[in-house]
Amino acid sequence: MEFAVSFDDITAAAKRIEGLAVETPLLENALLNERVGGRVLLKAETLQRVGAFKFRGAYNRLSELSDEEKKKGVVAWSSGNHAQGVAAAAGLLGIEATIIMPEDSPKIKVDNTKAYGATIRFYDRYTESREEIGYQMSRDTGATLVPSYDDPYIIAGQGTTGLELVAQAEAKGVDLDAVFVPCGGGGLTSGTSMAVRTQKPDTKFYAVEPEDFDDTARSFASGNQEKIDPTKKSICDSLLSPYPGELTLPIMRKYVDEVLTISDDEARAAVKYAWEKLKLVVEPGGAAGLAAVLAGKIDCKGKTIAVILSGGNVDAAMFEECLRS
Amino acid sequence: MEFAVSFDDITAAAKRIEGLAVETPLLENALLNERVGGRVLLKAETLQRVGAFKFRGAYNRLSELSDEEKKKGVVAWSSGNHAQGVAAAAGLLGIEATIIMPEDSPKIKVDNTKAYGATIRFYDRYTESREEIGYQMSRDTGATLVPSYDDPYIIAGQGTTGLELVAQAEAKGVDLDAVFVPCGGGGLTSGTSMAVRTQKPDTKFYAVEPEDFDDTARSFASGNQEKIDPTKKSICDSLLSPYPGELTLPIMRKYVDEVLTISDDEARAAVKYAWEKLKLVVEPGGAAGLAAVLAGKIDCKGKTIAVILSGGNVDAAMFEECLRS
């Protein structure tokens, strides 16, 4: 089957972002190993530029725009991490960026997006369509739309996380039994699962969703792009995309073994654990993979696994709520 | 001049702790670089086993005890990080450890020390002498006292942080203009300054103390072991040792260029900055070096510097106080 992205696209993306994206460390913690009864390697994308993996895809997309496209600027919608990724990449490349953000985005994500130099257009998550606003803006100004996950360059860029993971695990002399990745629209999951399993077909790959946002799990079962119930809420604001992408879904169906779900309480516990034991700041959605491992969704005893901590942009109020859980 | 520790002792310590201590990553953050106007490399000892550099010295000390000494156990006093370091090292080596801790130690440090398998003896910081309790216990049981800083093995172990820092900076092709290190009794400062400046004599070395605990600064001026005023308080609980060590002070006087001081407000701001921008959990004392840099105590514009984040063990209440500052 032909996908929108190939393994070569991911290695090409890695060359484009080299020296600009952080090669995030693969960390290990004795207490976590003991708790899991195995060996857990943490790919800390929280330490990526903008505090989340999103810079990888955004820079890969924006750097490949033509000079004319660059002049006309870019527009994107995002609750926060993609917003910051696009804003930071645009800033580095001298491109004007407008970001369409829900009014209830975490303040830290809004502030940072502004700080990277982007213009923000707020919308009401329940009464307005971010897509309509974005398409209209693009028609009016000629700005290029930068999707948050359903785009070949975005997927390839996020996939570089998986390339680094495999190389870093090899450098440690480790064979990974499994990888756990937080899953929203599937940009990180599709790119990273392709990067890992093309090289390591025997490594199990698990995507992790919030329990009321199990659109990917249900899409795996039905084969269609299943949508979430728009009235549902979760503290995992970075994983609330309405359905898996047209491009990401087929890739995930090939390379992902199983889609797991976690509750908000399990996300809170993982954020607290990361703070207390790992000394890392992780946002609820970014901790979904860790939450699944800590909650024992898959038995990892005696296994060597990797967990991607995908982002760390969280408001103080939510962080304190997690510490008190 | 002959010191209690030589550079060779530090390289020997590095061999002993290899594979047990974490080779902590040297991190970099674009926002911090921009703020400082230079390049800042962060040696994240927060990610060390026990969440602080203290494991290095403790393991180096305990692993060199004779079999007979090991059987009789060890005793140490500490407000928390040395406690955890000794407890964890003792656990790995099958040695019984008793830790004398002040009743007002951060709860996280008490809980972790217990979790590593040590026995805790609490004392009142204002009415009891931890030294007396420790010496008495050692006389009664034959247990070896493990000082928190004034011991050649402890100093050499902490110095391995500096060895790693120099090697990691070289691997990045970087020449360090300066290093900033939090300073309590001087174990980390003396060992690390010797490790760095023996190899890189032109690198400036700054120790950073809380402003009412400037015993090292005053001892530099007078040449004697100056004591702190025991009625003073600071949120930097890991830097409150009463005076610089007999062994650490002469080493620091040779290798440290200047001792800087920071206020509690500056420490709080650094903890918050590390949470918000760096996505790292750092305790107030562990953030002293970062606090000095963020507060502009030394102009770092155009410079490449390293900051040691020495520990991340902080209670939720104190952490929340910092986030609200």
Side-chain angles (χ1 to χ4, degrees):
Chain A
M1 181 171 176
E2 191 76 16
F3 296 120
V5 176
S6 70
F7 183 76
D8 289 348
D9 292 331
I10 304 176
T11 57
K15 288 201 189 86
R16 283 184 208 114
I17 66 171
E18 199 183 335
L20 291 166
V22 175
E23 190 186 323
T24 55
L26 192 59
L27 304 171
E28 191 169 357
N29 181 284
L31 297 173
L32 178 57
N33 286 349
E34 207 173 294
R35 160 135 179 196
V36 170
R39 194 168 173 195
V40 185
L41 303 174
L42 299 159
K43 180 68 172 159
E45 281 297 297
T46 51
L47 306 176
Q48 185 53 263
R49 196 188 275 256
V50 313
F53 69 96
K54 292 282 190 178
F55 176 78
R56 298 174 182 267
Y59 190 86
N60 189 47
R61 171 66 279 195
L62 267 56
S63 66
E64 286 303 290
L65 293 176
S66 69
D67 287 347
E68 182 150 354
E69 287 170 323
K70 282 178 182 158
K71 264 187 237 157
K72 290 184 178 163
V74 294
V75 58
W77 53 77
S78 158
S79 78
N81 283 332
H82 179 57
Q84 292 175 73
V86 170
L92 286 172
L93 292 160
I95 298 173
E96 283 196 20
T98 305
I99 314 287
I100 302 162
M101 298 182 81
E103 285 164 351
D104 59 352
S105 300
K107 187 173 176 300
I108 189 173
K109 295 181 177 177
V110 174
D111 290 348
N112 288 347
T113 303
K114 274 185 202 161
Y116 291 120
T119 304
I120 297 177
R121 157 70 160 93
F122 288 105
Y123 77 100
D124 183 323
R125 201 193 271 271
Y126 303 100
T127 62
E128 287 186 283
S129 157
R130 58 188 193 175
E131 286 85 352
E132 269 175 33
I133 300 168
Y135 288 123
Q136 186 61 47
M137 209 175 271
S138 172
R139 275 194 301 272
D140 291 349
T141 65
T144 301
L145 271 172
V146 184
S148 60
Y149 52 91
D150 224 15
D151 174 286
Y153 287 94
I154 297 289
I155 296 169
Q158 321 305 31
T160 60
T161 315
L163 286 188
E164 282 178 21
L165 172 58
V166 169
Q168 289 170 321
E170 276 183 352
K172 284 183 195 282
V174 162
D175 248 341
L176 293 175
D177 294 308
V179 177
F180 294 77
V181 179
C183 184
L188 180 67
T189 304
S190 60
T192 303
S193 63
M194 177 183 269
V196 170
R197 301 206 58 193
T198 301
Q199 300 177 84
K200 303 285 177 185
D202 295 336
T203 299
K204 292 270 181 195
F205 206 98
Y206 298 100
V208 186
E209 294 180 311
E211 57 190 5
D212 286 332
F213 293 79
D214 60 342
D215 46 300
T216 307
R218 287 187 287 109
S219 301
F220 267 44
S222 73
N224 302 315
Q225 279 175 286
E226 299 295 337
K227 292 190 172 51
I228 54 107
D229 174 347
T231 65
K232 296 288 186 186
K233 300 198 172 186
S234 163
I235 62 165
C236 299
D237 64 277
S238 52
L239 305 180
L240 307 190
S241 39
Y243 45 81
E246 205 174 314
L247 308 183
T248 59
L249 183 57
I251 300 175
M252 291 195 283
R253 290 191 75 195
K254 172 157 172 106
Y255 292 112
V256 174
D257 291 285
E258 196 177 337
V259 186
L260 311 171
T261 60
I262 54 143
S263 69
D264 276 5
D265 277 349
E266 288 165 342
R268 280 187 199 96
V271 171
K272 184 181 182 180
Y273 187 91
W275 169 79
E276 186 173 350
K277 306 294 187 191
L278 310 178
K279 310 303 173 192
L280 296 173
V281 178
V282 189
E283 63 184 273
L290 178 63
V293 170
L294 290 175
K297 306 277 169 174
I298 298 289
D299 184 7
C300 296
K301 278 207 177 57
K303 308 282 189 200
T304 299
I305 64 170
V307 173
I308 299 181
L309 303 173
S310 57
N313 294 309
V314 49
D315 272 349
M318 172 55 66
F319 199 72
E320 292 177 9
E321 180 186 318
C322 294
L323 296 198
R324 287 189 201 125
S325 70
Chain B
M1 182 172 175
E2 191 75 18
F3 296 120
V5 176
S6 70
F7 184 77
D8 289 348
D9 292 330
I10 304 176
T11 57
K15 287 200 189 86
R16 284 183 208 115
I17 66 171
E18 198 183 336
L20 290 166
V22 175
E23 190 187 324
T24 54
L26 192 59
L27 304 171
E28 191 170 358
N29 180 284
L31 297 172
L32 179 57
N33 286 349
E34 207 173 294
R35 162 137 178 193
V36 170
R39 193 167 174 195
V40 186
L41 303 174
L42 299 159
K43 180 69 172 157
E45 281 298 296
T46 51
L47 306 177
Q48 185 52 263
R49 197 187 274 259
V50 314
F53 69 95
K54 292 282 190 179
F55 176 79
R56 298 173 181 268
Y59 191 87
N60 189 48
R61 170 67 280 194
L62 268 56
S63 66
E64 288 301 289
L65 293 176
S66 70
D67 288 346
E68 182 148 355
E69 287 170 324
K70 282 178 182 159
K71 264 186 236 158
K72 290 183 177 163
V74 295
V75 58
W77 53 78
S78 157
S79 76
N81 283 331
H82 179 57
Q84 293 176 71
V86 171
L92 286 173
L93 291 160
I95 298 172
E96 282 196 20
T98 304
I99 314 288
I100 302 161
M101 297 182 82
E103 285 164 349
D104 59 353
S105 300
K107 187 171 176 300
I108 189 173
K109 294 180 176 176
V110 174
D111 290 347
N112 287 347
T113 303
K114 275 185 201 159
Y116 291 120
T119 303
I120 297 176
R121 158 70 160 91
F122 287 106
Y123 77 100
D124 183 322
R125 202 194 272 270
Y126 303 99
T127 63
E128 288 186 283
S129 157
R130 59 188 192 176
E131 285 85 353
E132 270 176 33
I133 299 168
Y135 288 123
Q136 187 61 48
M137 208 174 270
S138 171
R139 277 193 300 272
D140 291 349
T141 66
T144 302
L145 271 172
V146 185
S148 60
Y149 53 91
D150 223 15
D151 175 284
Y153 287 94
I154 298 288
I155 296 169
Q158 320 306 29
T160 61
T161 314
L163 286 188
E164 283 179 18
L165 172 58
V166 169
Q168 290 170 320
E170 276 183 350
K172 284 183 195 282
V174 161
D175 248 341
L176 292 175
D177 294 309
V179 177
F180 294 78
V181 179
C183 183
L188 179 66
T189 304
S190 61
T192 303
S193 63
M194 177 182 270
V196 170
R197 300 206 60 192
T198 301
Q199 300 177 85
K200 303 284 177 187
D202 295 336
T203 299
K204 292 269 182 197
F205 205 98
Y206 299 100
V208 185
E209 294 181 311
E211 57 191 6
D212 286 333
F213 293 80
D214 60 342
D215 47 300
T216 307
R218 285 187 288 110
S219 300
F220 267 45
S222 74
N224 302 316
Q225 280 175 285
E226 300 295 338
K227 292 190 172 52
I228 53 107
D229 173 349
T231 65
K232 297 287 185 186
K233 300 201 171 183
S234 163
I235 62 165
C236 300
D237 63 277
S238 51
L239 304 181
L240 308 189
S241 39
Y243 44 82
E246 205 173 316
L247 309 184
T248 58
L249 182 57
I251 300 175
M252 291 194 284
R253 290 190 76 195
K254 172 156 171 105
Y255 292 111
V256 174
D257 291 285
E258 197 179 335
V259 186
L260 311 171
T261 59
I262 53 144
S263 68
D264 275 5
D265 277 349
E266 288 165 340
R268 282 188 199 96
V271 170
K272 183 179 181 181
Y273 186 91
W275 170 79
E276 186 172 350
K277 305 294 188 191
L278 310 178
K279 311 303 173 191
L280 296 172
V281 179
V282 189
E283 61 185 273
L290 178 63
V293 170
L294 290 175
K297 306 278 170 176
I298 298 289
D299 184 7
C300 295
K301 278 207 178 56
K303 308 281 189 199
T304 299
I305 64 170
V307 173
I308 298 181
L309 303 173
S310 57
N313 295 309
V314 49
D315 274 349
M318 173 54 67
F319 199 70
E320 291 177 9
E321 180 186 318
C322 294
L323 296 199
R324 286 189 202 125
S325 71

